[in-house]
Amino acid sequence: AAIIGLENQLHTSQPIDHIINSIKEKCVNNEIVITALNTLEGTKNGIPTNAELKNRFKVVRKEVRKASLIPEAAPNFLGQAIGGVLASISWSPSSNAKMDMNNLDHNADIEDYLQSISYHLDNGDLNKVLNLCNRINGYPKVLLNDWEKAVEQRVIANQVISVLKADLALKHQQLANI
């Protein structure tokens, strides 16, 4: 029941420290459970849900797009102003554009990456989202960092739940065979 409670809490982005501590107290001798829960140590205050990640990406995407349009030789303030103006007047491809979202080539630009990240985010493929984020460089990458860390937290949380459920299933199977 505690593992189901943790899974439910992870779907709300509410603090999880009390549930983690409760499970740890009950599973003191289970190294798998303790190790899995320890990976959530830095996220006791909650982990963004997929819906929250999507909403945050809408904002981050706009800023990354602006940053990608900043001329490299322009001074900071002037460059950001130019990037903002270019972002507001330039065309952004729609999500219906024909593009292979799974295989971006070396000629892909930042807009292709952002569109592909959005596609995979909408489809719940967070591992692919992280892979695409890792292929972005420069100032756009700096702007993506906090959001990317939140995606990593969600991926880790999903993996922890899978490990805990698998361990629980194995324990149940062992008890059934007695």
Side-chain angles (χ1 to χ4, degrees):
I3 293 172
I4 294 170
L6 176 61
E7 182 178 25
N8 290 338
Q9 197 75 5
L10 286 171
H11 290 295
T12 66
S13 75
Q14 297 296 313
I16 57 175
D17 56 340
H18 63 284
I19 296 175
I20 289 175
N21 293 334
S22 174
I23 296 172
K24 281 183 174 182
E25 287 172 10
K26 293 173 184 163
C27 299
V28 173
N29 296 324
N30 189 328
E31 290 182 33
I32 293 172
V33 171
I34 299 300
T35 301
L37 292 174
N38 284 341
T39 62
L40 297 175
E41 283 296 317
T43 59
K44 288 184 177 180
N45 293 327
I47 298 169
T49 64
N50 285 0
E52 290 170 335
L53 290 172
K54 288 177 189 179
N55 286 334
R56 286 176 59 185
F57 183 70
K58 290 175 187 175
V59 174
V60 170
R61 181 179 186 163
K62 288 178 187 174
E63 295 306 313
V64 168
R65 188 164 182 272
K66 282 184 210 175
S68 71
L69 296 171
I70 295 174
E72 288 186 31
N76 285 344
F77 180 74
L78 179 61
Q80 290 186 12
I82 292 170
V85 169
L86 289 174
S88 67
I89 62 172
S90 65
W91 173 78
S92 176
S94 70
S95 59
N96 295 330
K98 298 279 185 196
M99 183 172 88
D100 184 356
M101 296 297 174
N102 292 309
N103 299 310
L104 292 179
D105 62 18
H106 296 294
N107 296 326
D109 63 11
I110 192 72
E111 197 61 53
D112 294 332
Y113 282 104
L114 293 173
Q115 184 176 349
S116 188
I117 288 170
S118 182
Y119 172 83
H120 290 292
L121 186 60
D122 287 342
N123 289 300
D125 190 352
L126 298 182
N127 288 318
K128 185 68 174 180
V129 167
L130 288 176
N131 180 291
L132 290 164
C133 287
N134 287 331
R135 294 168 66 184
I136 295 174
N137 298 309
Y139 189 56
K141 175 69 172 180
V142 172
L143 294 175
L144 273 173
N145 274 339
D146 287 342
W147 182 80
E148 185 178 359
K149 287 177 186 174
V151 174
E152 287 172 357
Q153 289 176 339
R154 172 51 49 197
V155 168
I156 290 169
N158 292 345
Q159 291 170 347
V160 166
I161 291 299
S162 294
V163 167
L164 294 176
K165 285 180 172 180
D167 184 65
L168 186 63
L170 286 173
K171 298 289 187 231
H172 179 72
Q173 184 64 33
Q174 288 171 350
L175 290 173
N177 290 334
I178 294 180

